[in-house]
Amino acid sequence: MVVDEIHRSAPIVLASNRGPVSYRLGEDGSLTAGRGGGGLVSGLSAIGPEAGAVWVCAALGEGDRVAARRAGRRLDAADTGGQPVRMLDVPAETFAAAYNGIANSVLWFAHHMLWQTPLEPSFDAEFRAQWAAYEAYNAAFAEAVAEEAAEGGCVLVQDYHLTLVPGMLRVLRPDLRIGHFSHTPWAPPDYYRLLPDDIAEQVLRGVLGGDRAGFLTHRWADAFAACCAATLGAEVVRAADGSAEAVRFEGRTTRLGVHGLGADADFLRERSRRADVDAWRARLREQVGPGRRTIVRVDRTELSKNIVRGLRAFRRLLEERPQWRGRVVHVAFAYPSRQDLAVYRDYMAEVGRTAQEINAAFGTEDWQPVALHLDDDFPRSLAAYRLADVALVNPIRDGMNLVAKEVPVVSDDGCALVLSREAGAAAELGEDALLVNPYDVEATARALHEALSMDPAERERRTKRLAAAATALPPARWFVDQLAALQES
């Protein structure tokens, strides 16, 4: 590819699968734009429009593809809040194979250690065809970023969807400062090497094409470095405390950075006090019943979130501690996720069955132990945060987990946090949470009892400390810190 120098104008380029805007296509061909949210949107806004940053993202659905075709190089600024956005019209079949076939069904499974290894994975001809699509998808991003970035500019590539982009971009534009950030855990070497040898190497080489590789915790950074040593024979440079700080490979050094994403305290506190949230809080309290305690969880129905074992732990609490029957309700929000994949549809059905079995076994005329909600509603989630006596966050593995950080920030009366030790958030919140092995249903049930029994004053003290730790690195600073570190590397 020959890069068109006329396009090189952006001193900062952000590349991510999902962008700050999405489009819905009407029956009459009209397009309706919806603004995106999340840490990346907040972070990019923090650097200001004068920075000249450009966001490169993918068209995720047909509405997005139509918008990308009509827009040409850049989307209409009126749809993006003034943010320059280039949306890539990747062919639908290529996107599906790269996104569902590889990113969500291979890389996500590897890093979250989700495979049932007697049967999976099985890397066959279909996998190789999907991998070719993943390569093409990453190449489309690399070429677009190469066209957008100014001479000597900084590029921040996001997540497991785009692991090959830094290496591809290094070939196209060796002048750039390139960073990659992983929002997931990183698999330990023995598990990572379930991937085909050439693919395992290709992913690592892709990330090492950057000047920096960022992670949410030191644990994930160390795991990445260990994979580089075991798979590539790379040299790991260590800090005085033994943590990995850089990887040297084939004459290049890629520095490792750790940036733990925090909750946006100002936004959460303001949004959680609006009238719609107040109304939902009143409705949830009525559903729970007066005087009853609440155990709250809010998750996407994602395999790694471990919702079924959480429900089973609640069942064991009721079996082993009958004093809680009629006195506590498990308010469980399990929002649909990746329902185009059969394994996710099956998991969501199992969540529903498990909740129904608990209600059938223990429910009475005036008490349903589990209040399960399967539709996404952000104001209702915030209302549940405020109402929670106990928050249950028990993922199998999680890069960070913002729910664990958000609940203490908006809690009305203090909330005990039962937290998986396998969540990245445990590194920051572990001292004041009740940490559990996510596979141990019995231990999780005991932790729920301890949380429900916690002295209110102790619960309030812990909540304050949890909220302070949870908001130490808000999204805006998280992004700016990464950018500054990349510019200095």
Side-chain angles (χ1 to χ4, degrees):
M1 170 192 171
V2 177
V3 177
D4 183 353
E5 295 189 11
I6 295 176
H7 285 180
R8 295 185 183 182
S9 61
I12 301 167
V13 180
L14 175 70
S16 65
N17 177 70
R18 185 179 299 276
V21 62
S22 62
Y23 292 88
R24 182 171 53 84
L25 182 63
E27 293 182 2
D28 61 353
S30 63
L31 289 170
T32 303
R35 292 295 307 282
L40 287 179
V41 175
S42 300
L44 194 58
S45 65
I47 65 172
E50 68 280 356
V54 171
W55 194 324
V56 178
C57 62
L60 304 185
E62 188 56 29
D64 287 359
R65 292 188 187 93
V66 171
R69 292 183 205 119
R70 291 179 183 176
R73 184 169 163 230
R74 299 271 178 84
L75 296 178
D76 187 338
D79 295 339
T80 65
Q83 174 65 52
V85 175
R86 179 167 176 174
M87 184 175 278
L88 305 182
D89 179 20
V90 178
E93 61 277 10
T94 300
F95 176 82
Y99 181 70
N100 283 329
I102 298 298
N104 289 341
S105 297
V106 176
L107 298 181
W108 178 275
F109 271 61
H111 291 317
H112 290 85
M113 299 170 62
L114 292 175
W115 280 311
Q116 300 180 57
T117 52
L119 297 174
E120 56 184 11
S122 181
F123 298 116
D124 52 15
E126 181 183 7
F127 163 78
R128 289 292 169 174
Q130 292 172 334
W131 185 258
Y134 183 80
E135 291 175 317
Y137 177 71
N138 276 249
F141 268 87
E143 290 167 6
V145 172
E147 288 182 351
E148 296 289 348
E151 192 73 21
C154 289
V155 179
L156 290 166
V157 181
Q158 304 297 310
D159 226 0
Y160 61 102
H161 314 90
L162 301 176
T163 57
L164 306 184
V165 169
M168 293 174 169
L169 194 54
R170 178 66 58 199
V171 174
L172 295 173
R173 293 289 306 278
D175 59 292
L176 298 176
R177 307 297 296 170
I178 305 168
H180 182 277
F181 194 89
S182 294
H183 295 258
T184 65
W186 197 277
D190 285 350
Y191 204 90
Y192 181 77
R193 292 176 79 176
L194 292 177
L195 295 172
D197 291 351
D198 60 320
I199 302 302
E201 290 189 14
Q202 191 176 352
V203 168
L204 295 173
R205 285 175 177 271
V207 176
L208 291 176
D211 300 284
R212 289 187 93 249
F215 302 89
L216 288 165
T217 71
H218 285 286
R219 181 181 180 185
W220 312 141
D222 288 344
F224 171 79
C227 286
C228 290
T231 305
L232 299 176
E235 176 189 356
V236 178
V237 181
R238 299 195 178 275
D241 63 1
S243 62
E245 64 178 13
V247 175
R248 290 181 182 144
F249 182 63
E250 294 186 343
R252 294 195 69 258
T253 298
T254 300
R255 302 198 65 80
L256 307 183
V258 174
H259 303 274
L261 178 60
D264 189 339
D266 292 341
F267 166 75
L268 287 169
R269 287 174 177 142
E270 186 279 326
R271 183 66 185 88
S272 66
R273 263 55 189 178
R274 292 187 194 173
D276 58 345
V277 178
D278 288 338
W280 266 119
R281 187 189 185 284
R283 291 168 66 180
L284 289 173
R285 171 46 68 190
E286 182 179 3
Q287 181 184 22
V288 168
R292 288 188 178 127
R293 313 292 296 282
T294 58
I295 298 171
V296 169
R297 78 172 307 134
V298 177
D299 283 306
R300 290 175 294 110
T301 311
E302 160 59 57
L303 305 182
S304 63
K305 299 301 183 182
N306 207 26
I307 300 170
V308 171
R309 287 193 188 90
L311 288 166
R312 290 173 180 168
F314 179 64
R315 177 169 188 144
R316 288 298 292 157
L317 173 75
L318 299 179
E319 290 172 345
E320 295 294 306
R321 310 278 183 172
Q323 67 267 34
W324 290 116
R325 297 178 191 173
R327 295 180 54 209
V328 63
V329 174
H330 185 11
V331 182
F333 295 168
Y335 300 145
S337 177
R338 301 173 184 170
Q339 292 298 291
D340 47 351
L341 296 176
V343 66
Y344 283 83
R345 295 194 298 272
D346 293 344
Y347 188 73
M348 191 161 189
E350 182 63 24
V351 169
R353 280 193 297 270
T354 305
Q356 289 171 4
E357 289 169 1
I358 295 171
N359 285 337
F362 297 97
T364 63
E365 187 174 330
D366 67 343
W367 172 62
Q368 285 290 91
V370 179
L372 180 64
H373 300 265
L374 299 177
D375 55 317
D376 192 356
D377 191 298
F378 183 57
R380 186 179 59 191
S381 296
L382 291 175
Y385 287 178
R386 289 177 54 188
L387 197 64
D389 295 299
V390 177
L392 175 58
V393 182
N394 67 320
I396 292 169
R397 275 166 73 85
D398 215 330
M400 178 54 65
N401 195 292
L402 284 179
V403 170
K405 294 188 170 188
E406 291 168 350
V407 176
V409 173
V410 303
S411 172
D412 282 350
D413 301 312
C415 177
L417 175 63
V418 176
L419 178 62
S420 168
R421 69 191 187 191
E422 299 303 311
E428 300 162 51
L429 307 182
E431 289 188 12
D432 290 295
L434 302 176
L435 294 182
V436 295
N437 174 347
Y439 297 96
D440 192 337
V441 171
E442 294 289 310
T444 304
R446 290 194 298 271
L448 291 175
H449 171 69
E450 182 180 350
L452 287 167
S453 306
M454 189 178 292
D455 178 76
E458 172 66 11
R459 189 177 67 187
E460 185 177 357
R461 286 191 293 270
R462 288 189 184 220
T463 302
K464 288 180 179 178
R465 293 193 295 264
L466 287 167
T471 56
L473 192 64
R477 194 179 130 208
W478 169 80
F479 186 91
V480 171
D481 284 358
Q482 285 184 67
L483 180 60
L486 179 59
Q487 291 170 331
E488 294 167 3
S489 64

